[in-house]
């Protein structure tokens, strides 16, 4: 204990002195003492309340209908609810090319749900289709997701026929599922770690948006908008408009999220989630009038308007509607 006390006193007076004590070969006890000193002298984290979770949205089918839940698990790949994971199912063409709501706007009206290992597809003017979650005998398809390559387990011919009938165009569509053992693709944005892996999400695993930001846009576009139109995972209330732009690291329940970048928007924001109508102008044009990036960031966002924030998951856990949101600082 005498050596440990010596290190603690030296560190309190002068860090360099502490290092000299350690360098004198005082052994493992001194190293332990130095570690303890560093721990206790390190500034504690500060948590500042900035909002409350008002909605949790899981999108099992990419570009499909959002599933609003009271509780969700937050994994490295994003949110999940039961056996449904965010953007883990994807509609593709016969040659494996991704299909989104920009290509087929009515896709936003298709829901994918799960009950005890049975998935269910449902859409306007269609009979529900039930099919098994596990289809290990089906082939794995190589898919093209934006500029990246991915994989997906084919969900079968019956599902393919259902989708083809639903879209009613002269093309064949298939549904694929990203399974746990599959290797995710790398984010197309270099601000994300090269070790970050995605299923069929565009850029990052978690997207966060505030209600106040949506209301601010609604007031400018003279269009009654709701958060679902922008397909976030976490919606925050009780904060100012665009406050989420400055939250670098946040704590929600036992989940820790790290902001990586803003979410650059495209024309998909003009597809009405309740009707499937592709308006092509609003609210995208209004966003472009006041939500463009700083000129110094044009190499990242180009001409895309920014709305919402993309996060990586530092600590996994459980999220609930009503959870308080804290920013983290030292």
């Amino acid at each position: 204990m005498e050596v440990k006390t010596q290190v603690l006193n030296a560190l309190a007076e002068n860090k360099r002195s502490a290092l000299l004590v350690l360098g004198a070969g005082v052994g493992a006890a001194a190293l332990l003492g130095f570690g303890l000193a560093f721990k206790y002298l390190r500034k504690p984290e500060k948590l500042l309340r900035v909002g409350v979770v008002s909605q949790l949205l899981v999108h099992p089918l990419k570009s499909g209908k959002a599933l609003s839940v009271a509780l969700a698990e937050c994994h490295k790949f994003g949110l999940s609810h039961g056996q449904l994971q965010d953007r883990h199912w994807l509609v593709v063409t016969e040659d494996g090319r991704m299909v989104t709501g920009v290509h087929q706007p009515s896709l936003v009206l298709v829901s994918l749900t799960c009950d005890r290992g049975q998935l269910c597809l449902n859409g306007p003017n269609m009979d529900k289709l039930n099919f098994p979650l596990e289809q290990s005998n089906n082939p794995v398809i190589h898919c093209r997701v934006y500029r990246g390559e991915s994989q997906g387990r084919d969900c079968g011919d019956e599902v393919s026929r259902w989708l083809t009938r639903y879209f009613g165009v002269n093309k064949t569509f298939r549904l694929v599922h990203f399974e746990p053992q599959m290797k995710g693709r790398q984010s197309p944005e270099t601000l994300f770690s090269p070790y970050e892996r995605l299923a069929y999400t565009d850029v990052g695993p978690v997207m966060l948006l505030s209600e106040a930001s949506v209301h601010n846009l609604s007031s400018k576009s003279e269009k009654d908008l709701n958060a679902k139109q922008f397909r976030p995972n976490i919606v925050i209330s009780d904060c100012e408009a665009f406050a989420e732009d400055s939250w670098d690291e946040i704590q929600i329940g036992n989940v820790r999220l790290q902001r990586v970048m803003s979410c650059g928007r495209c024309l998909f924001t003009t597809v009405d989630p309740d009707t499937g109508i592709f308006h092509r102008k609003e609210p995208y044009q209004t966003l472009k009038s006041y939500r463009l990036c700083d000129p110094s960031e044009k190499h990242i966002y180009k001409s895309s308007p920014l709305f919402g924030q993309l996060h990586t998951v530092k600590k996994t856990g459980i999220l609930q509607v009503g959870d308080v949101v804290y920013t983290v600082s030292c």
Side-chain angles (χ1 to χ4, degrees):
M1 293 301 295
E2 186 177 339
V3 171
K4 184 174 171 181
T5 302
Q6 185 181 6
V7 174
L8 286 169
N9 290 338
L11 184 60
E13 293 175 9
N14 188 310
K15 288 184 179 179
R16 186 167 178 268
S17 299
L19 290 172
L20 288 172
V21 171
L22 288 171
V26 293
L31 288 172
L32 174 62
F34 183 75
L36 288 170
F38 179 80
K39 176 181 177 181
Y40 290 116
L41 290 175
R42 186 178 58 187
K43 289 184 179 179
E45 289 182 336
K46 295 179 182 178
L47 299 180
L48 176 65
R49 184 188 187 280
V50 291
V52 176
V53 176
S54 60
Q55 291 185 73
L56 293 171
L57 300 171
V58 179
H59 308 83
L61 174 61
K62 185 174 177 66
S63 287
K65 199 168 187 178
L67 178 65
S68 182
V69 300
L71 180 147
E73 294 180 67
C74 187
H75 305 283
K76 290 294 185 180
F77 277 91
L79 269 58
S80 70
H81 180 73
Q83 294 176 291
L84 294 174
Q85 294 174 282
D86 192 73
R87 296 169 172 96
H88 272 52
W89 282 264
L90 175 71
V91 176
V92 295
T93 57
E94 277 193 292
D95 59 356
R97 291 187 179 275
M98 171 186 69
V99 176
T100 72
V102 173
H103 309 109
Q104 297 293 334
S106 62
L107 180 53
V108 301
L109 305 178
V110 176
S111 67
L112 180 68
T113 55
C114 186
D115 183 23
R116 289 173 292 188
Q118 285 288 308
L119 296 171
C120 179
L121 272 176
N122 195 16
N125 305 313
M126 297 289 290
D127 292 331
K128 292 181 181 179
L129 177 66
N130 295 304
F131 59 101
L133 171 64
E134 299 294 337
Q135 301 192 63
S136 57
N137 292 329
N138 288 359
V140 172
I141 293 176
H142 291 275
C143 314
R144 187 75 178 167
V145 180
Y146 296 108
R147 298 185 300 274
E149 297 290 336
S150 191
Q151 293 178 309
R153 178 80 64 184
D154 188 89
C155 292
D157 293 337
E158 191 176 9
V159 174
S160 174
R161 287 190 290 269
W162 191 96
L163 289 168
T164 301
R165 284 197 307 272
Y166 176 72
F167 292 125
V169 296
N170 191 26
K171 283 184 180 179
T172 298
F173 299 91
R174 304 198 72 85
L175 184 68
V176 296
H177 175 213
F178 185 87
E179 296 178 332
Q181 77 278 7
M182 293 176 177
K183 183 181 178 181
R185 78 184 207 287
Q186 188 175 323
S187 174
E189 296 294 345
T190 56
L191 290 177
F192 279 88
S193 164
Y195 302 105
E196 184 84 55
R197 293 294 162 180
L198 306 172
Y200 304 131
T201 310
D202 289 9
V203 175
V206 176
M207 204 275 274
L208 181 147
L209 180 64
S210 73
E211 288 183 353
S213 299
V214 177
H215 293 156
N216 180 280
L217 177 59
S218 292
S219 68
K220 295 179 182 296
S221 66
E222 299 180 355
K223 186 176 175 63
D224 188 19
L225 303 167
N226 65 70
K228 287 184 179 181
Q229 187 146 351
F230 305 96
R231 311 186 71 77
N233 298 115
I234 305 172
V235 182
I236 307 299
S237 63
D238 200 23
C239 66
E240 297 295 322
F242 308 113
E244 65 270 28
D245 296 1
S246 63
W247 302 341
D248 287 333
E249 187 173 343
I250 58 174
Q251 179 88 27
I252 309 174
N254 60 350
V255 173
R256 185 68 64 92
L257 301 175
Q258 178 72 53
R259 177 190 173 275
V260 178
M261 62 187 295
S262 298
C263 185
R265 296 301 183 160
C266 68
L267 284 175
F268 191 23
T269 56
T270 71
V271 178
D272 190 314
D274 297 319
T275 65
I277 295 173
F278 197 175
H279 295 284
R280 296 184 181 275
K281 288 187 178 180
E282 290 299 331
Y284 181 72
Q285 292 299 326
T286 299
L287 274 176
K288 290 198 76 169
S289 72
Y290 80 119
R291 289 291 298 170
L292 294 177
C293 70
D294 184 273
S296 65
E297 296 181 316
K298 274 199 170 183
H299 64 289
I300 302 170
Y301 302 110
K302 301 179 175 59
S303 61
S304 298
L306 310 180
F307 201 62
Q309 298 298 318
L310 296 166
H311 291 253
T312 190
V313 182
K314 289 187 72 175
K315 183 183 177 185
T316 63
I318 302 296
L319 299 171
Q320 296 186 68
V321 170
D323 277 346
V324 175
V325 182
Y326 298 94
T327 54
V328 182
S329 61
C330 292

